Amino acid sequence: MVSIKDVARYAGVGLGTVSRVLNDEKGVSEETKENVLNAIRTLGYKRNSLAVSFRKKENKIVALLVPVINHPFFSKIAYFIEDELDKNGYSLLISSSQSRQSKEYAMIEKMKKKDVDGIIFITHYDYRDEELSKYPVVSVDRHFDNVPFVTSDNFDSSVVACEWLVHAGCRKIAYIGGKTLVESEVMERERAYREVMRKYSLPEIVKSEVIKHGEELPLVEALFRENPGMDGVFVSGDAMTNLIFMHCEENNIAIPKDLKVVSYDGVQIKTGELKDKIAYVEQPVEQLGREAVRVLLKKIRGEDVPLKTVLKAKFVHYDATSAAENGK
Amino acid sequence: MVSIKDVARYAGVGLGTVSRVLNDEKGVSEETKENVLNAIRTLGYKRNSLAVSFRKKENKIVALLVPVINHPFFSKIAYFIEDELDKNGYSLLISSSQSRQSKEYAMIEKMKKKDVDGIIFITHYDYRDEELSKYPVVSVDRHFDNVPFVTSDNFDSSVVACEWLVHAGCRKIAYIGGKTLVESEVMERERAYREVMRKYSLPEIVKSEVIKHGEELPLVEALFRENPGMDGVFVSGDAMTNLIFMHCEENNIAIPKDLKVVSYDGVQIKTGELKDKIAYVEQPVEQLGREAVRVLLKKIRGEDVPLKTVLKAKFVHYDATSAAENGK
DNA sequence: CTGAAAGCGCTTACAG
DNA sequence: CTGAAAGCGCTTACAG
């Protein structure tokens, strides 16, 4: 393999000069630069990035920590995160931590050792680590340990969604969603739900537990079993929404006639066949992903970043008035 | 940061000895080993993997190249690939190449430069590269350039699926699926379809074009527009199947009464609400992923690997007899 | 079984 | 603007 040494010899310059050209540093005369570039070309020199990483203590790799990559929201945001990183010369390492909790901790160790330059968390990370915020980490939709995070306006959007259910004529509205172990922006959805129910003096029916992705079914079944006559439901997450669709099909519950559904996510829903029959809060997934990357890269460069970045979500719904009529 | 040097000094041994202990090489007396281990512990030494990668020219990173990660089949197989790699001490880099074709080529360059130790392809890779098979690469469901690949038995399973449609009473059966640019095992599905149609003297209706993921809709619409009276369809890929469901809903085509659907993939279908109304070939996704990793790691270690690894797919269907009755 | 030394391919002060 | 040299933290023959 041809190294920087060979290039220097061929061009008749010092090692440092070649390095400077390679790194596009200023302070190299146009002439020698051309000379070096020419040597690089004729010799077919390829920079050894392993050596560069070693010296610079940076890998140009960012890790994404999700519970499971095999999930519509996570894989979609992963797509945009990777794209944004790629544009900035970084690669994306993905780790699904649900299979083994220790993977989160292991990844943090890797970051501290500079094996990865930074981490984007979309997990229920639960290790207390006061100094974590000093490292290049950013979190999506959850906040912990003073780590900067980006999120959609969970509370406000949820209020809109729940009010819509009320105006559509629902009187027995439930909330269902997975619970996170740490303070999470996702919990704002439940808080908004409760607030709206209280405002309209409607009963608060909450089905919310700490569960793993892929294990939502029992919760959904319990919801229906325990709440006959339920006419509206605010669902946190598409995975659960799809299970609700299944349940309704099997039990001849007509959507939206018997039950009105509002889903928070709208990632998978869009291509589903019930698209005109449910309403949903659509997360700005692409923006969330790209913004998370931007914040992280800033932190990697040592720049200041805001603790909280909030992006607007969009409420998508069918005609509430006719829905109310149908519902009666 | 405490280095191997500090450990050596503290333990009163040479650098090489510490290195040998770290790498668990034999030829170190139990006594000095304990001594070194103790020094490592008290000094809190952490191995600098960037330095190790640099010296050994291996990164313990494998790249996965998919068209888009945001797709049920790809993200599911990615999950298992990551899990299997993790078990073997490797991390997973994911790159969605559909956003920019050059990303595939760039990743191959990275592999050749040892930035990643190997690549798993699940793409329509189309760069001719005769010597690619000399590198640690493996492909899933596509074969090219003598690169080893793992796949499910596309042809046999598709024959079973198509015959089932015939026995269920369908007489105007179509095939629809994306076309790949290179020889792909996926194309075997179409070949099997054609063979079965010929066997039963049924018309061959094929809707197959080179399209991007996410752009399947026009193809689906054309299929229905051009083939009124179609009573059966063999679909390659769940993304398209879901679009067919949508179309049927919107146009009041009852599944399976008016149209019988068999989908090849069965990844997303399982949780859908039509689960008892369509049949599908279920790919052994987990095994495909894990096997791809095993083959790749063997190649990385320089061992011989088979060019082709075939795994059995499963045909899942409802009662074809009653289906035939309903269909008439 | 173990130590001293060379070297991997870069970057980075330091002089000039 | 540019070169010579030191050094990053390891691994790997080479001696012994």
Side-chain angles (χ1 to χ4, degrees):
Chain A
M1 212 66 225
V2 25
S3 82
I4 208 176
K5 240 180 209 161
D6 306 302
V7 175
R9 197 181 308 129
Y10 186 94
V13 300
L15 289 184
T17 306
V18 179
S19 176
R20 275 165 217 130
V21 172
L22 250 20
N23 291 301
D24 225 14
E25 286 171 32
K26 57 193 169 195
V28 184
S29 77
E30 211 40 56
E31 200 184 339
T32 42
K33 187 173 172 182
E34 265 317 310
N35 184 13
V36 170
L37 251 22
N38 181 49
I40 287 174
R41 241 174 277 122
T42 55
L43 260 39
Y45 167 76
K46 301 246 166 91
R47 183 195 199 113
N48 180 334
S49 22
L50 255 28
V52 176
S53 295
F54 167 52
R55 280 300 335 250
K56 292 203 179 173
K57 295 184 188 316
E58 64 165 32
N59 230 338
K60 295 290 182 185
I61 293 178
V62 162
L64 173 66
L65 227 36
V66 290
V68 286
I69 186 59
N70 178 29
H71 176 286
F73 179 72
F74 299 135
S75 69
K76 186 167 182 181
I77 199 168
Y79 176 81
F80 292 112
I81 287 174
E82 197 261 329
D83 187 63
E84 188 66 25
L85 282 172
D86 186 72
K87 280 184 186 165
N88 288 279
Y90 282 79
S91 296
L92 179 64
L93 213 61
I94 292 187
S95 179
S96 297
S97 61
Q98 185 166 285
S99 61
R100 210 148 359 91
Q101 180 82 23
S102 63
K103 287 166 84 174
E104 295 189 354
Y105 184 69
M107 191 56 80
I108 291 172
E109 280 303 302
K110 280 193 174 197
M111 177 206 58
K112 291 188 176 176
K113 288 172 59 188
K114 295 288 185 186
D115 289 358
V116 299
D117 296 336
I119 302 180
I120 297 175
F121 286 88
I122 318 185
T123 56
H124 307 302
Y125 179 67
D126 198 28
Y127 297 91
R128 297 283 100 194
D129 186 345
E130 292 307 328
E131 55 175 8
L132 192 58
S133 61
K134 291 180 199 154
Y135 290 92
V137 294
V138 47
S139 161
V140 176
D141 265 352
R142 345 238 164 227
H143 58 101
F144 54 88
D145 291 339
N146 230 35
V147 163
F149 65 103
V150 305
T151 178
S152 56
D153 55 343
N154 283 273
F155 186 83
D156 293 350
S157 311
S158 296
V159 166
V160 171
C162 291
E163 296 229 334
W164 183 85
L165 279 171
V166 173
H167 295 321
C170 301
R171 287 300 168 263
K172 190 167 180 183
I173 304 170
Y175 168 87
I176 182 170
K179 212 187 203 97
T180 53
L181 286 166
V182 293
E183 319 102 281
S184 156
E185 291 304 301
V186 172
M187 298 305 286
E188 293 293 289
R189 302 175 190 172
E190 180 181 332
R191 198 165 70 78
Y193 160 82
R194 287 189 187 276
E195 196 149 298
V196 173
M197 293 306 108
R198 229 165 295 151
K199 177 175 169 192
Y200 291 97
S201 305
L202 292 172
E204 293 173 35
I205 307 168
V206 169
K207 200 80 208 168
S208 174
E209 280 174 28
V210 176
I211 49 163
K212 288 191 168 186
H213 290 278
E215 298 177 1
E216 297 91 351
L217 192 56
L219 210 63
V220 169
E221 285 173 346
L223 175 75
F224 282 96
R225 193 172 52 243
E226 294 163 10
N227 300 289
M230 173 175 70
D231 57 6
V233 60
F234 180 44
V235 193
S236 175
D238 284 349
M240 228 167 232
T241 306
N242 284 324
L243 291 175
I244 288 178
F245 290 167
M246 270 181 68
H247 182 95
C248 288
E249 263 251 330
E250 284 166 10
N251 295 274
N252 290 315
I253 299 171
I255 297 175
K257 193 172 151 294
D258 304 333
L259 180 71
K260 288 179 188 52
V261 181
V262 178
S263 179
Y264 200 111
D265 255 14
V267 177
Q268 198 174 39
I269 303 303
K270 283 172 79 172
T271 50
E273 54 269 42
L274 281 162
K275 73 173 157 68
D276 293 330
K277 300 183 177 173
I278 72 146
Y280 53 87
V281 177
E282 185 178 289
Q283 295 231 60
V285 187
E286 175 166 359
Q287 296 166 63
L288 282 172
R290 296 196 190 278
E291 199 54 36
V293 169
R294 282 183 209 115
V295 171
L296 183 64
L297 293 186
K298 271 190 185 173
K299 266 213 115 175
I300 289 177
R301 289 191 298 262
E303 299 169 20
D304 277 342
V305 299
L307 177 60
K308 184 171 180 173
T309 305
V310 181
L311 302 172
K312 276 253 163 289
K314 198 170 89 186
F315 183 54
V316 181
H317 59 94
Y318 48 93
D319 182 356
T321 320
S322 65
E325 284 161 9
N326 288 333
K328 285 284 138 183
Chain B
M1 212 66 226
V2 27
S3 83
I4 208 176
K5 241 181 206 159
D6 306 301
V7 175
R9 197 182 307 126
Y10 186 93
V13 300
L15 288 184
T17 306
V18 178
S19 176
R20 275 166 217 130
V21 171
L22 249 20
N23 291 300
D24 225 14
E25 286 170 33
K26 57 193 168 192
V28 184
S29 77
E30 211 41 54
E31 200 183 337
T32 42
K33 187 173 173 181
E34 265 318 312
N35 183 13
V36 170
L37 252 23
N38 181 49
I40 288 174
R41 240 173 280 124
T42 55
L43 259 40
Y45 167 76
K46 299 244 168 93
R47 184 199 200 110
N48 180 333
S49 22
L50 254 30
V52 176
S53 294
F54 167 51
R55 280 301 333 251
K56 291 202 179 175
K57 297 183 187 315
E58 63 165 31
N59 230 338
K60 293 290 180 185
I61 293 178
V62 162
L64 174 66
L65 225 37
V66 290
V68 286
I69 186 60
N70 179 29
H71 176 284
F73 179 73
F74 299 135
S75 69
K76 185 166 183 182
I77 198 168
Y79 175 81
F80 293 112
I81 286 174
E82 196 261 327
D83 187 63
E84 188 67 25
L85 283 172
D86 186 72
K87 281 185 186 165
N88 288 279
Y90 281 79
S91 295
L92 179 65
L93 214 62
I94 292 186
S95 179
S96 297
S97 61
Q98 186 167 284
S99 59
R100 210 148 0 89
Q101 181 83 21
S102 63
K103 287 166 85 174
E104 296 189 352
Y105 185 68
M107 191 56 79
I108 291 172
E109 280 302 302
K110 282 194 174 197
M111 178 205 58
K112 290 186 175 175
K113 288 172 58 191
K114 295 288 185 186
D115 290 357
V116 299
D117 296 335
I119 302 180
I120 296 175
F121 286 88
I122 320 187
T123 55
H124 307 302
Y125 178 69
D126 198 29
Y127 298 91
R128 296 282 101 194
D129 186 344
E130 292 306 329
E131 54 175 11
L132 192 58
S133 61
K134 291 181 197 154
Y135 291 91
V137 295
V138 46
S139 162
V140 176
D141 265 353
R142 343 236 165 232
H143 58 101
F144 54 88
D145 290 339
N146 230 35
V147 163
F149 65 103
V150 304
T151 178
S152 56
D153 53 344
N154 283 273
F155 187 82
D156 293 350
S157 311
S158 296
V159 166
V160 171
C162 292
E163 295 229 333
W164 183 86
L165 279 171
V166 174
H167 294 323
C170 300
R171 288 298 168 266
K172 190 167 179 184
I173 305 170
Y175 168 87
I176 183 169
K179 213 187 202 97
T180 52
L181 286 167
V182 293
E183 320 104 280
S184 156
E185 291 303 301
V186 172
M187 297 306 286
E188 293 292 289
R189 303 174 190 172
E190 180 180 332
R191 198 165 69 80
Y193 160 82
R194 287 191 186 274
E195 196 149 297
V196 173
M197 292 306 108
R198 231 165 295 151
K199 177 176 168 190
Y200 292 96
S201 305
L202 292 172
E204 294 174 34
I205 306 167
V206 169
K207 200 80 208 169
S208 174
E209 279 174 28
V210 176
I211 48 163
K212 286 191 170 189
H213 290 277
E215 298 178 1
E216 297 91 350
L217 192 57
L219 211 62
V220 168
E221 284 173 345
L223 175 75
F224 281 96
R225 192 171 52 243
E226 296 164 9
N227 299 288
M230 174 175 68
D231 57 6
V233 60
F234 180 43
V235 193
S236 177
D238 283 349
M240 228 167 234
T241 306
N242 285 323
L243 291 175
I244 288 178
F245 290 168
M246 272 181 67
H247 182 95
C248 288
E249 264 248 332
E250 284 167 9
N251 295 275
N252 289 316
I253 299 172
I255 297 175
K257 193 172 150 296
D258 303 334
L259 180 71
K260 287 178 188 57
V261 181
V262 178
S263 180
Y264 201 111
D265 255 15
V267 177
Q268 199 174 39
I269 303 302
K270 284 172 79 173
T271 49
E273 54 270 42
L274 281 162
K275 74 171 156 68
D276 294 328
K277 300 182 177 173
I278 72 144
Y280 53 87
V281 177
E282 184 178 289
Q283 294 231 60
V285 187
E286 174 166 0
Q287 297 166 61
L288 281 171
R290 297 199 188 275
E291 198 56 35
V293 170
R294 283 184 209 116
V295 171
L296 183 64
L297 294 186
K298 271 190 186 176
K299 266 212 116 175
I300 289 176
R301 288 193 296 264
E303 299 170 21
D304 277 343
V305 299
L307 177 60
K308 184 172 182 174
T309 305
V310 181
L311 302 172
K312 276 254 163 287
K314 198 168 89 184
F315 183 54
V316 181
H317 60 93
Y318 48 93
D319 183 354
T321 319
S322 64
E325 284 161 9
N326 288 334
K328 286 283 135 184

